[in-house]
């Protein structure tokens, strides 16, 4: 269940003015076409690839200790988001899932290579282009280690490649060596790819029900996502240039990182866009709460809450900790509203596959809609190549 509240902590907004625009955006999304395949869940993954993911992930769960997922940006955050949200805080599950290739930390890779030494390991390298700096370096180092540890036959089940259907160095590697492989659909960009094999394989390895995730995505009421996109747009035009994605359950930390990428890369271009930021509450209320309440008035919030009954009580209060968390969520929103910081509320009733699938599709729809409202292309990221070119130039010296 996904419930929204765009009234209690939001001042009146005239969303009627957007009627025409939204009709056009709906038509664009429904028509499909360039980079829009994520909007049709059937185009995210074929039934045969879904079955293949289930078979391979079962084999990985039963036969390996360490599953290394190499990727960055859209080839990393979606899987990390769902796995962190649904895994227990403290119980170690088998296999251990470790992400790599999302930094240039030599220390991390050195320690990982050491850690792999005595562990039965399977690697999933994910890169649509196959050329991204961080995962390329990580894969090179880890692949060398795998070749040291295992013979060619063994590698045929231990190196799994997720990449472009036709092009690139990783597709060639998969073809040349008969490594199992999956496709990143051509018409789906990285940050919209969590419900493709990019996200679904690692998520399935973590023991999470990917059918339910996809089912959740299919249940979204798009009209609510359009309404949220309109309210963000109005707030932006009123000078609110920072959106704080506020959450009260730390398991959502990486989901919010995924959201930040989704909105940041989709909308931040042509000198326009809302800067996505995040607040891990109540922790961050004790470090940034002062700014939210009284600092430069550029912020609005989108609270992602979980409205469920709790059972654990301390001796201090007659409320469960969940209840206290919900009281905090509401009273903080009221206090912020008093200071002119408005909040959208998007609430689920529990952290599960269906609700997370809904949230993914809901926010993807809202992010793309927001970009259309700003008159920018939702699916490119020209700004990212600027720094990449400079790094490449230095590396060629
Ligand atoms: O959303 C995007 O397109 C990017 O964040 C990419 O996912 C990221 O740069 C990784 O690209 P690739 O999968 O080509 O390695």
């Amino acid at each position: 269940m996904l419930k929204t509240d765009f009234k209690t902590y939001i001042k009146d907004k005239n969303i009627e003015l957007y009627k025409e625009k939204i009709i056009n955006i709906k038509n664009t999304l429904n028509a499909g076409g360039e980079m829009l395949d994520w909007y049709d869940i059937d185009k995210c993954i074929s039934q045969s690839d879904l079955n293949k993911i289930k078979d391979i992930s079962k084999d990985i769960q039963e036969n390996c200790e360490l599953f290394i997922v190499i990727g960055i940006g859209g080839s990393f955050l979606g899987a990390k988001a769902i796995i962190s949200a649904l895994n227990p805080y403290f119980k170690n599950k088998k296999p251990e899932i470790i992400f790599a290739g999302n930094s240039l930390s030599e220390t991390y890779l050195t320690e990982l290579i050491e850690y792999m030494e005595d562990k039965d390991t399977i690697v999933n390298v994910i890169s649509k282009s196959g050329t991204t700096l961080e995962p390329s370096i990580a894969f090179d180092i880890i692949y060398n280690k795998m070749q040291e540890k295992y013979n060619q036959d063994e590698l045929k089940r231990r190196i799994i490649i997720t990449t472009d259907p036709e092009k690139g160095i990783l597709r060639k590697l998969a073809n040349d060596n008969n490594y199992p492989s999956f496709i990143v659909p051509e018409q789906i960009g990285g940050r919209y790819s969590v419900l493709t094999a990019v996200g679904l394989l690692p998520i399935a390895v973590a023991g999470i029900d990917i059918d339910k995730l996809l089912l959740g995505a299919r249940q979204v009421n798009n009209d609510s996502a359009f309404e949220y996109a309109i309210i963000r747009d109005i707030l932006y035009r009123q000078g609110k240039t920072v959106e704080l994605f506020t959450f009260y359950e730390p398991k959502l930390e990486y989901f919010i990182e995924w959201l930040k990428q989704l909105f940041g890369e989709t909308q931040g271009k042509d000198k326009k866009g809302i800067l996505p930021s995040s607040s891990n509450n109540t922790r961050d209320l004790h470090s940034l709460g002062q700014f939210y309440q009284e600092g430069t008035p550029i912020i609005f919030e989108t609270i992602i809450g979980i409205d469920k009954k709790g059972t654990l009580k301390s001796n201090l209060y007659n409320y469960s900790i969940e209840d206290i968390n919900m009281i905090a969520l509401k009273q903080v929103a009221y206090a912020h509203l008093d200071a002119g910081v408005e909040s959208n509320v998007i609430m689920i009733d529990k952290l599960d596959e269906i609700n997370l699938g809904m949230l993914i599709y809901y926010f993807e729809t809202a992010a793309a809609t927001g970009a259309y409202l700003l008159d920018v292309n939702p699916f490119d990221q020209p700004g990212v190549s600027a720094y990449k070119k400079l790094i490449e130039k230095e590396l060629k010296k």
Side-chain angles (χ1 to χ4, degrees), residues 71-76 126-133 135 184 189-193 261 265 379 381 384 388:
I72 197 165
S75 294
F76 154 58
I126 308 172
S127 175
K128 188 173 186 184
S129 61
T131 54
T132 309
L133 179 69
V184 187
R191 58 189 173 275
Y192 289 82
S193 70
Q261 186 206 355
E265 275 191 351
F379 307 117
Q381 52 280 329
V384 178
K388 279 187 183 167

Side-chain angles (χ1 to χ4, degrees), residues 35-171:
M35 301 319 278
L36 276 169
D37 279 1
W38 59 272
Y39 196 64
D40 178 352
I41 300 297
D42 288 337
K43 292 187 177 151
C44 288
I45 186 100
S46 65
Q47 191 55 50
S48 64
D49 270 2
L50 204 54
N51 294 340
K52 193 168 137 191
I53 286 177
K54 287 177 194 168
D55 289 345
I56 290 190
S57 59
K58 195 159 172 276
D59 175 56
I60 297 171
Q61 282 166 343
E62 283 165 7
N63 298 309
C64 105
E65 291 171 285
L66 181 61
F67 183 61
I68 301 179
V69 183
I70 302 174
I72 197 165
S75 294
F76 154 58
L77 284 167
K80 176 78 179 169
I82 302 305
I83 294 170
S84 315
L86 294 181
N87 261 356
Y89 273 118
F90 302 112
K91 206 168 116 198
N92 290 331
K93 284 173 83 179
K94 189 178 163 273
E96 184 179 5
I97 300 178
I98 283 185
F99 290 87
N102 54 70
S103 77
L104 288 171
S105 166
E106 184 174 325
T107 312
Y108 187 89
L109 279 176
T110 309
E111 290 182 20
L112 178 55
I113 292 296
E114 219 176 281
Y115 191 66
M116 283 168 71
E117 191 63 58
D118 58 349
K119 302 219 170 34
D120 194 312
T121 305
I122 293 183
V123 174
N124 178 204
V125 58
I126 308 172
S127 175
K128 188 173 186 184
S129 61
T131 54
T132 309
L133 179 69
E134 298 89 337
S136 300
I137 291 176
F139 182 58
D140 183 58
I141 304 272
I142 292 167
Y143 187 41
N144 274 336
K145 183 72 191 170
M146 291 294 281
Q147 284 172 312
E148 230 176 84
K149 265 168 83 81
Y150 302 108
N151 64 33
Q152 278 308 315
D153 253 11
E154 278 288 317
L155 288 178
K156 285 196 173 80
R157 55 175 281 274
R158 292 181 183 275
I159 303 292
I160 304 169
I161 294 180
T162 308
T163 190
D164 186 273
E166 312 277 345
K167 300 185 294 256
I169 187 171
L170 287 177
R171 177 54 57 200

Side-chain angles (χ1 to χ4, degrees), residues 309-326:
K309 280 274 145 283
T311 48
L312 183 63
K313 283 184 182 172
S314 75
N315 292 319
L316 302 180
Y317 297 99
N318 200 19
Y319 293 97
S320 74
I321 298 170
E322 288 289 0
D323 289 346
I324 297 174
N325 209 15
M326 189 50 70

Side-chain angles (χ1 to χ4, degrees), residues 38 40-47 49-51 53-54 82 193-197 199-200 203 208-220 352-361 364:
W38 59 272
D40 178 352
I41 300 297
D42 288 337
K43 292 187 177 151
C44 288
I45 186 100
S46 65
Q47 191 55 50
D49 270 2
L50 204 54
N51 294 340
I53 286 177
K54 287 177 194 168
I82 302 305
S193 70
V194 51
L195 298 177
T196 74
L200 294 178
I203 291 170
I208 293 164
D209 188 332
I210 53 176
D211 287 328
K212 285 193 180 152
L213 204 61
L214 292 166
L215 188 66
R218 289 177 198 277
Q219 290 177 7
V220 171
D352 68 3
E353 286 92 337
I354 297 269
N355 283 335
L356 286 166
M358 289 181 94
L359 285 177
I360 288 169
Y361 193 78
E364 286 179 347

